[in-house]
Amino acid sequence: MKKTLLALAVLAAGSAQAGVNLYDSEGVLVDVAGAAEVQYFQGYAANSDAAFRLDDGDLAFSTTVPVSNNLNAIAAMAFKFEDAGKSEAGVKNDELWVGFQGDFGTVTFGRQYLIADDSGIGKDIELGGDGIDFVQAQGDQTIKYVFDNGQFYAGVSALLKETNPKGNADETKIIDGRLGARFGDLDARVYLYSGDDVSSDKFDIFKDAKGEKQAIDIDGAQLEAEYIMGAYAFAASFGQVDYELAADTSKKVEADTAALAGSYTMDKTTFALGYTYWSPESSAMTVEDANVFYGNVTQQLHSNVKVYGEIGYSDVDDAEFGYVAGMEVSF
């Protein structure tokens, strides 16, 4: 999954280095961070046309308040501005949480992203294809705990109960986690995910007669590793996810996914190449495997400004040749 600049900035509440400091007095910090990103985009979808896309618009506020020498209270709220062409057009409050931070780690409560939102090693901008997909990685009724001592890190989050978007009696429940370690330049981790009654329209067999999404059960895992060698960075992952229709367990899809990626940074320019493999299997329907290759270059014009270009190829039938050029300005 693609982690946004805003999500990264909000997670850093308490020791935020990104964004603008609005208030700093007696240990109380208030920060704001944001980003605007516009692209000229041609995706893989058959018969699609290139067009400008408002890919990212984010605004987040975070605060840290010292309670004692070893304990901080933290809170954040964030908003994203969606392209009018997307299903969730307009302005949406996607984070609103409170919590505590100390030597024990960080625990937060409220509307926030699950641990699974951090999964994925791709160095693509937009054209990395289908990688690991846990379908839902955010919710209002969420509690999350993360710990990191520099070498070892872990986390667990849970969406306790949420009426799914279909509006029926099903209640979505999700629990996921991560366990990782750093050994010099090597960073390895594993993600685990289990969700019940997650509303999804990912596959046609999970839609009802009217074409509307239905509740599914999801169980999956992803193993990831990254290695940095000076200006070079390499990454690999392998994951498996099982999707099963909650109302009819005979309708299910088992998907394997793998990814390889590498990059080279020269001064303020980064070149990246990557490959993604996605192979779903189902006795209830035929689903096509996908092999996706991509390459991109990013120029950092300023610590807060970057421009980039990317091309990609997918071997799915009737897929278009993909390309994107864009610019992001953050603060």
Side-chain angles (χ1 to χ4, degrees), residues 57-69:
D58 298 300
L59 182 65
F61 298 88
S62 62
T63 185
T64 303
V65 181
V67 177
S68 68
N69 290 336

Side-chain angles (χ1 to χ4, degrees), residues 122-124 261-264 270-274 294-298 309-311:
K123 298 184 181 299
D124 63 300
S263 67
Y264 170 70
T270 299
F271 304 89
L273 295 172
Y294 62 87
N296 58 62
V297 58
T298 300
E310 181 175 52
I311 58 173

Side-chain angles (χ1 to χ4, degrees), residues 103-106 145-149 152-155 178:
D103 294 339
F104 60 87
T106 302
Y145 169 75
V146 294
F147 173 80
D148 191 335
N149 69 1
F152 299 101
Y153 57 98
R178 171 184 59 216

